[in-house]
Amino acid sequence: MDPRALSTGIVHFGVGAFHRAHQAVYTEDAAAATGDPRWGILGVTGRSARVAEQLGPQDGLYSVLTKARDSESLRLIGSLRKVAFPAVDSAEVLRALASEDVHVASLTITEKGYPRTLSGELDTSNPGVAADIEALKAELAGRSFAGPARTPLGLLARGLARRYAGSGSPFAVLCCDNLMSNGKVTRDLVHAVAGAARAEDMLEWLRKSVTFPSSMVDRIVPATTEANRRAAERILGVRDDGLVVAEPFGQWVIEDNFLGPRPAWERAGAILTDDVGPFEVAKLRMLNATHSLLAYLGALHGHQTIAGAVADDALLNEARNLQRNDVIPTLNAPPGLDLHEYGESILARFANPNLGHTTIQVAMDGSQKLPVRILGTVADRLAAGEVPYSAAMMLAGWMVFIYRGRDVNGKPLALDDPMADILRETAAGSEAGLADRLLGLKAIFPEKVSANAEFRGALAARVRRLLSDVT
Ligand code: NAI
Ligand code: CS2
């Protein structure tokens, strides 16, 4: 379908690589299958204008370089019609969220884009959240535009307030981040922003007219490199600054909970279901936890890529043990899914040498990722009276990654994490006390995990062994 025929029907927060290689592709395919022109996307960047600057001169057009093991293909995508940068375009985003032509907002703002306290509540001490709550109060009081938003959830809440004050028509907010029950997480935070602004009437409307479906999202999309752009330029004949790179595999399982219209994503291969939960848990625990194990152990052993880590038999064995011994016993398989075959299919995807997904990229934001990916498994196994030794190995990898900051060859390993300073400070000290010191971080480890003596012992033993392996 000619992208110029598309009207904007979706606002997406977090126009990173993954959105462009996953939801935007599904949305384009749905439009092509149905001829429905209503689903152009207004993308909203996060903290920099870079993507807006990359795509603006290209009319929002960009390409996806799909890299299979021994072949690659390039595809032009036109569903992303414009990219807004909140620092200058918040008013436009607010108008779009209030528009009767727009029916869905979606998000890929990373695990750290959902500011919560230890107990999972909205973190109102976050300066951006606090500023957005004040802006919402001002706008609800009928005062004029309260200036640029500071957080995606704040901008979204302000836009929903505009919708409530205007048409009040039904709306859906679709989270596409790697979080468990990601729709509920998003709903609770957006409701909390409205509650903090004492917007009781708006809250009532939110409960009745705005749904927050959860979704399980899957496609490995590494950060784009200059080498990728040069390869694409040789095929395209022009440089595409908005290029994204991805594996051939993709999956999207969406909770069918929409009060208003939505793209016919099922016509593009998405699965609409009443119960996303089993798909979410299986994917986050089987794929993402194994990814993190290979990232930390792989990086420490000098492997630049996930594919390199999977090619290391000892690490491949650790990955299989994690899936088979610790994760699978905690899962209720989604209908028709053989979990052992699923685990092997994941490892085969990781082994794609053409993708170039780096261990250091997967290793980032561990403080935000580990609670979602591995600590549920640990808690479930301990509750079943078992010690999850492979999960302990994965956590030992993360701890030694922080503590050593270098790989087996002495190459520095960057710690890219919103809690980096706290992690470094906590890790500093004796090797013997490393596991206990990091286990003491209540922002990451729940009591039921950190207080278990057997698990502490297993973790400390693996930290010791790993330190001697890589030192
Ligand atoms: P990216 O780095 O290309 O884009 C991240 C987006 O989130 C950017 O728009 C950025 O501005 C925004 N962002 C980052 N930190 C933020 C914060 N603290 N607050 C608000 N916005 C913030 O990353 P990519 O590859 O697009 O992945 C984004 C998310 O998509 C992941 O964190 C994950 O939840 C999900 N995902 C990614 C997959 C992948 O293979 N890359 C696969 C499956 C899910
Ligand atoms: C990866 C995920 O970077 C990471 O943390 O584990 O982005 C992974 O590539 C996706 O979840 C695959 O669907």
Side-chain angles (χ1 to χ4, degrees), residues 398-413:
W398 174 70
M399 291 181 168
V400 172
F401 179 90
I402 295 166
Y403 183 74
R404 274 187 107 275
R406 297 187 321 281
D407 71 8
V408 66
N409 305 311
K411 177 177 175 283
L413 296 173

Side-chain angles (χ1 to χ4, degrees), residues 178 217-220 283 287-288 291 357 362 369 373:
N178 277 334
V217 290
D218 192 2
R219 190 175 192 187
I220 298 174
K283 189 265 181 173
L287 185 150
N288 292 108
H291 230 179
H357 203 186
V362 178
K369 294 177 179 179
R373 301 175 174 202

Side-chain angles (χ1 to χ4, degrees), residues 189-327:
L189 292 176
V190 170
H191 284 196
V193 172
R198 291 192 288 281
E200 293 312 321
D201 294 347
M202 176 188 164
L203 254 176
E204 198 44 46
W205 171 77
L206 283 174
R207 291 189 187 103
K208 285 201 318 269
S209 305
V210 181
T211 59
F212 292 78
S214 285
S215 77
M216 183 279 266
V217 290
D218 192 2
R219 190 175 192 187
I220 298 174
V221 180
T224 306
T225 66
E226 263 315 297
N228 296 145
R229 289 193 181 88
R230 286 195 299 274
E233 188 169 355
R234 285 194 291 276
I235 302 170
L236 270 176
V238 292
R239 180 178 170 83
D240 173 7
D241 280 326
L243 176 78
V244 290
V245 175
E247 65 169 334
F249 178 88
Q251 187 175 28
W252 197 8
V253 182
I254 304 168
E255 179 187 354
D256 196 0
N257 181 12
F258 295 79
L259 298 177
R262 63 166 173 81
W265 285 309
E266 63 278 20
R267 297 287 298 276
I271 298 168
L272 275 290
T273 177
D274 295 336
D275 186 9
V276 178
F279 294 93
E280 273 187 317
V281 175
K283 189 265 181 173
L284 289 167
R285 291 190 178 188
M286 287 288 283
L287 185 150
N288 292 108
T290 310
H291 230 179
S292 294
L293 177 142
L294 291 164
Y296 296 117
L297 296 182
L300 285 166
H301 286 88
H303 299 297
Q304 306 305 311
T305 65
I306 293 291
V310 172
D312 180 326
D313 288 343
L315 301 189
L316 176 59
N317 191 44
E318 289 291 357
R320 279 205 176 101
N321 286 341
L322 174 62
Q323 290 180 344
R324 294 178 180 179
N325 302 338
D326 293 351
V327 176

Side-chain angles (χ1 to χ4, degrees), residues 14-18 46-47 108-113 152 177-178 219 221:
V15 191
F18 180 59
R47 302 169 296 176
T108 51
I109 54 175
T110 79
E111 296 86 341
K112 56 186 181 291
D177 273 301
N178 277 334
R219 190 175 192 187
V221 180

Side-chain angles (χ1 to χ4, degrees), residues 290-445:
T290 310
H291 230 179
S292 294
L293 177 142
L294 291 164
Y296 296 117
L297 296 182
L300 285 166
H301 286 88
H303 299 297
Q304 306 305 311
T305 65
I306 293 291
V310 172
D312 180 326
D313 288 343
L315 301 189
L316 176 59
N317 191 44
E318 289 291 357
R320 279 205 176 101
N321 286 341
L322 174 62
Q323 290 180 344
R324 294 178 180 179
N325 302 338
D326 293 351
V327 176
I328 287 177
T330 71
L331 298 179
N332 294 314
L337 186 69
D338 177 297
L339 291 171
H340 284 84
E341 287 174 10
Y342 181 50
E344 288 303 305
S345 70
I346 287 167
L347 294 172
R349 290 166 56 195
F350 288 167
N352 179 346
N354 198 11
L355 207 48
H357 203 186
T358 63
T359 48
I360 208 70
Q361 180 182 351
V362 178
M364 68 185 277
D365 292 350
S367 67
Q368 314 296 306
K369 294 177 179 179
L370 298 187
V372 177
R373 301 175 174 202
I374 196 69
L375 296 186
T377 293
V378 173
D380 289 353
R381 296 304 284 152
L382 294 175
E386 301 291 339
V387 179
Y389 293 107
S390 298
M393 193 67 227
M394 186 265 214
L395 288 166
W398 174 70
M399 291 181 168
V400 172
F401 179 90
I402 295 166
Y403 183 74
R404 274 187 107 275
R406 297 187 321 281
D407 71 8
V408 66
N409 305 311
K411 177 177 175 283
L413 296 173
L415 179 58
D416 185 350
D417 192 296
M419 289 182 64
D421 293 343
I422 296 169
L423 295 174
R424 281 193 200 92
E425 285 157 24
T426 306
S430 71
E431 289 188 0
L434 174 61
D436 279 352
R437 290 195 298 273
L438 287 173
L439 271 175
L441 286 173
K442 297 191 182 330
I444 300 173
F445 296 98

Side-chain angles (χ1 to χ4, degrees), residues 94 97-98 136 139-140 155-166 199 202 205-206:
L94 293 172
L97 290 166
L136 177 57
E139 296 198 352
L140 287 166
L155 182 51
L156 172 60
R158 286 169 61 185
L160 291 172
R162 292 277 183 97
R163 193 176 191 90
Y164 162 62
M202 176 188 164
W205 171 77
L206 283 174

